Amino acid sequence: MGVLERELEYHEKLYSGFAQAHFARPAVRALRRHMVERIVKLTGAGASSRVLSLGCGIGDTELLLAPHVAEVVGVDLSPAAVRQARADAERLGIRNARFEQGTGAEGSFDVIIAIFFLHHLPDEELAALPGKVRDLLPPGGVFYSLDPSRNRLSGRVGRAVIPWLMKRYQTPDERELVAEATGGLFAGAGFETRVEMYDFGSSPLAGLLPGWGGGYRLARRLDDGILRVGRLRSLGSNFEIIARKPR
Ligand SMILES: C[S@@+](CC[C@H](N)C(=O)[O-])C[C@H]1O[C@@H](n2cnc3c(N)ncnc32)[C@H](O)[C@@H]1O
């Protein structure tokens, strides 16, 4: 079995019920809302933007983003994920979101997002992605990604205290990424690139205690303070790449 087959096998199981129930819990919904606010702010996505989401999963971020933009197209390897995303778009009456099964896209998009996706790509595919993204964006178009940092304190604590849970939430091939090196791939492909730390403890808390929406909001406020401290910021959980194609 190759990486793609293993990813498919894992995610078909994940999206056969567990993910749907877990992602609907209050803390995870609050996290998704925060992510969407952040995506809109950092990419400048607005009412006229066409947005592509790579590895969109069941589309819960994309369906929250849809009211802010002209159109969202989500692509994912997993047919179960795409079925769920389409059903949710229909149920919610969201007409400007489309979901396709696959590993790539064609066309032109103003903004491309990849939420917890890059760290699932094998090294060669990850290295090739900035070039593919560049071809799908017009000058001034923006790429945004969010992925776990190799340096994250939450990962070290998790592996020591709850190793079985960490394993359950991970595919056999995914790995944490080095933030600066991953950003460097986009800079090397000609993008104006920034790397930011998104969170410290709030997203891991949402995963561990998904029913506690108030806990997430409190942890998020704490994170906003913690991330101002350089030493702690470098131990943060998930990093963002904001990469703009030059005009
Ligand atoms: C950790 S999940 C993130 C899903 C979603 N973005 C979210 O935030 O919940 C990674 C997703 O990438 C998809 N995936 C993995 N490899 C892929 C590939 N080469 N092309 C497209 N999708 C892929 C998986 O099916 C899975 O849905």
Side-chain angles (χ1 to χ4, degrees), residues 5 21 39-40 42-43 53 88 120 160 178 183 187 199 206 218 232 235:
E5 287 78 16
I39 291 167
V40 167
L42 292 181
T43 65
S53 175
D88 287 344
H120 286 262
V178 177
D199 55 5
L218 179 64
L232 292 176
L235 299 175

Side-chain angles (χ1 to χ4, degrees), residues 26-103:
V28 184
R29 294 296 292 167
L31 165 62
R32 295 289 189 191
R33 281 194 295 274
H34 186 274
M35 275 182 202
V36 167
E37 272 173 35
R38 184 92 177 160
I39 291 167
V40 167
K41 182 171 152 203
L42 292 181
T43 65
S48 64
S49 305
R50 288 198 73 211
V51 181
L52 171 66
S53 175
L54 300 171
C56 63
I58 62 171
D60 41 353
T61 305
E62 292 69 17
L63 293 173
L64 287 173
L65 181 61
H68 299 273
V69 299
E71 187 185 7
V72 185
V73 178
V75 291
D76 199 283
L77 176 65
S78 159
V82 170
R83 272 198 306 277
Q84 186 65 53
R86 286 177 178 165
D88 287 344
E90 180 72 28
R91 180 175 55 81
L92 296 167
I94 295 176
R95 301 264 169 263
N96 65 336
R98 184 159 61 77
F99 296 95
E100 304 293 345
Q101 194 257 321
T103 57

Side-chain angles (χ1 to χ4, degrees), residues 4 7 11 15 32 55-57 76-77 102-103 115-117 120:
L4 220 52
E7 282 285 324
H11 284 103
Y15 298 134
R32 295 289 189 191
C56 63
D76 199 283
L77 176 65
T103 57
I115 307 299
F116 300 130
F117 171 67
H120 286 262

Side-chain angles (χ1 to χ4, degrees), residues 99-114:
F99 296 95
E100 304 293 345
Q101 194 257 321
T103 57
E106 286 178 2
S108 177
F109 301 89
D110 305 297
V111 173
I112 299 181
I113 64 173

